[in-house]
Amino acid sequence: ALGTVTPLQTVTVRSRVEGELLRVAFAEGQQVRTGQLLAEIDPAPFKVRLAQAVGQQKQNLAELENTRIQLQRYRDLVDGKYVSAQDVANLEAQVRQFEGRREIDQAAVDEAKLQLDYTRIASPIDGRVGLRGVDVGNLVRTGDEAGLVTITQTHPVSVVFAVPETALGQLRAAMRRDGKLAVQAWDR
């Protein structure tokens, strides 16, 4: 019977970040594996953003530590009535504020690391790459519909074919008897 070979998966690989394409690590028609590097976007701007986030985090951690030390001093002085309970309460609120900033800063650092990781584009599946949609030096954008390349899974694949109605009785009987049938798929 004539049939059609259909891949189980076809993926258009797109960038998650914008930037200049520094490297293409595949050849058109090449077989690739899951996780294999396909392309690399200039990581320099993302390294700068990560450094900024880490610097901000360190600055806010220092302010938190300083406020905690000051709070402890005020707690020691409140018993002798050298500072008011209101001053202690204000510092406690300030400590909580800096603790919240610490979580925001950690999220900013994590986000910057994630964006930096996205500059290395890897294959999401095993398969064969199609035509390259970009060249080194191109500006890659996250919204590019065409993407960098399309990958088509080649192992396993499905084959769809029609069987003559007159053979259905024989096929059903064989399925009941054997549970499954062997099929050979040939190219032209």
Side-chain angles (χ1 to χ4, degrees):
L2 294 178
T4 305
V5 176
T6 306
L8 297 179
Q9 294 183 71
T10 300
V11 177
T12 300
V13 178
R14 293 183 178 89
S15 176
R16 294 182 176 188
V17 293
E18 296 185 359
E20 180 184 350
L21 190 63
L22 289 183
R23 186 172 121 182
V24 175
F26 65 89
E28 293 174 347
Q30 176 184 346
Q31 195 73 26
V32 294
R33 309 288 296 164
T34 301
Q36 181 176 335
L37 180 68
L38 297 175
E40 189 173 5
I41 295 171
D42 183 8
F46 301 97
K47 288 179 180 178
V48 170
R49 288 185 201 134
L50 176 58
Q52 288 173 333
V54 168
Q56 184 66 49
Q57 182 182 42
K58 286 180 180 179
Q59 178 183 354
N60 288 340
L61 284 174
E63 289 179 14
L64 171 62
E65 187 58 34
N66 184 44
T67 306
R68 282 183 176 158
I69 291 168
Q70 191 175 2
L71 174 61
Q72 187 56 48
R73 286 187 197 134
Y74 273 45
R75 283 182 176 153
D76 293 341
L77 294 173
V78 79
D79 292 336
K81 306 262 190 244
Y82 296 110
V83 294
S84 69
Q86 181 62 45
D87 290 337
V88 173
N90 288 344
L91 279 174
E92 287 172 343
Q94 202 172 12
V95 165
R96 286 191 301 277
Q97 180 182 5
F98 283 125
E99 287 171 345
R101 264 197 215 161
R102 179 182 59 193
E103 292 177 19
I104 292 169
D105 290 341
Q106 185 59 54
V109 168
D110 292 344
E111 170 70 14
K113 285 179 182 176
L114 186 62
Q115 295 296 312
L116 182 58
D117 286 345
Y118 287 159
T119 62
R120 296 181 53 81
I121 301 168
S123 177
I125 62 170
D126 292 351
R128 186 171 304 279
V129 294
L131 297 175
R132 187 177 67 238
V134 292
D135 294 312
V136 172
N138 286 148
L139 182 61
V140 178
R141 299 194 182 276
T142 56
D144 289 345
E145 281 299 312
L148 304 174
V149 70
T150 299
I151 302 173
T152 303
Q153 181 180 356
T154 55
H155 298 289
V157 294
S158 64
V159 179
V160 179
F161 57 93
V163 177
E165 185 178 348
T166 56
L168 284 179
Q170 293 172 323
L171 287 174
R172 285 187 182 139
M175 288 286 290
R176 277 188 235 117
R177 183 178 63 245
D178 299 330
K180 61 183 178 178
L181 300 176
V183 176
Q184 291 182 356
W186 298 352
D187 64 14
R188 293 181 203 183

